[in-house]
């Protein structure tokens, strides 16, 4: 009888640990770029993806991630569905022109991966952002035709 009780307790502990590990992180908050992680001037790193150079406010619900930031005088809002289906947003393309983008966001354990395709002047560009958060530090690693760039943001 004691072994059965120990087995049930062990199974319960394992179930709780598995559920705790599988929980998705919450990226909500206002994030500011850590200047040490910004590319050097002239490095051609682009605008930093969805968060840009910050500050940016992220709101997360069970089914969507919304990013609000200001670019010049314009307020930019990007929304990504978190279920792996396509999301459409207007983003700044080459030369500061607005371009329609199609993105898919999906979870890979505690990481969020956002793949974005943008067509402009008959050319399609693709970028992949991988978001991770640890405490009050958000890391976004962006890979595109220009290479890979890692930016760190603080709450």
């Amino acid at each position: 009888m004691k072994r059965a009780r120990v087995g049930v307790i062990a199974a319960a502990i394992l179930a709780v640990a598995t559920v705790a590990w599988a929980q998705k992180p919450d990226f909500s908050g206002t994030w500011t770029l850590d200047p040490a992680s910004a590319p050097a001037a002239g490095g051609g790193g682009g605008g930093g993806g969805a968060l840009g150079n910050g500050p940016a406010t992220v709101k997360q619900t069970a089914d969507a991630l919304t990013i609000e930031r200001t670019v010049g005088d314009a307020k930019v809002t990007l929304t990504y569905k978190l279920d792996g289906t396509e999301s459409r947003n207007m983003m700044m393309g080459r030369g500061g022109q607005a371009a329609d983008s199609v993105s898919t966001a999906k979870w890979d354990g505690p990481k969020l991966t956002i793949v974005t395709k943008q067509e402009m002047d008959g050319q399609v560009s693709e970028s992949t952002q991988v978001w991770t958060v640890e405490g009050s530090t958000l890391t976004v690693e962006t890979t595109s035709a220009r290479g890979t760039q890692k930016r760190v943001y603080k709450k």
Side-chain angles (χ1 to χ4, degrees):
M1 192 69 168
K2 278 187 175 182
R3 273 207 293 193
R5 192 176 310 152
V6 169
V8 169
I9 291 171
I13 290 171
L14 180 62
V16 169
T18 302
V19 169
W21 181 83
Q23 288 181 339
K24 310 291 187 255
D26 188 353
F27 296 109
S28 297
T30 299
W31 299 96
T32 303
L33 179 66
D34 178 351
S37 75
L51 290 174
N53 292 324
T57 300
V58 177
K59 296 176 185 170
Q60 183 178 332
T61 63
D63 55 1
L65 185 78
T66 302
I67 302 162
E68 296 176 350
R69 63 185 174 111
T70 302
V71 178
D73 294 331
K75 186 174 184 176
V76 176
T77 301
L78 305 171
T79 302
Y80 301 97
K81 297 175 194 171
L82 297 176
D83 63 0
T85 60
E86 290 185 348
S87 304
R88 295 188 89 84
N89 290 291
M90 290 301 287
M91 298 178 85
M92 298 306 264
R94 290 182 294 271
Q97 297 177 7
D100 186 36
S101 66
V102 177
S103 304
T104 55
K106 65 180 180 176
W107 293 102
D108 179 13
K111 297 178 181 181
L112 180 65
T113 300
I114 303 171
V115 178
T116 300
K117 293 181 182 178
Q118 199 173 50
E119 184 176 347
M120 192 167 194
D121 300 329
Q123 295 182 358
V124 177
S125 64
E126 181 174 310
S127 66
T128 301
Q129 294 181 45
V130 178
W131 290 38
T132 55
V133 68
E134 191 170 315
S136 61
T137 301
L138 169 65
T139 303
V140 179
E141 189 170 284
T142 304
T143 303
S144 69
R146 296 185 212 175
T148 299
Q149 179 181 105
K150 183 176 173 181
R151 288 182 179 233
V152 177
Y153 298 84
K154 301 288 183 178
K155 260 190 190 177

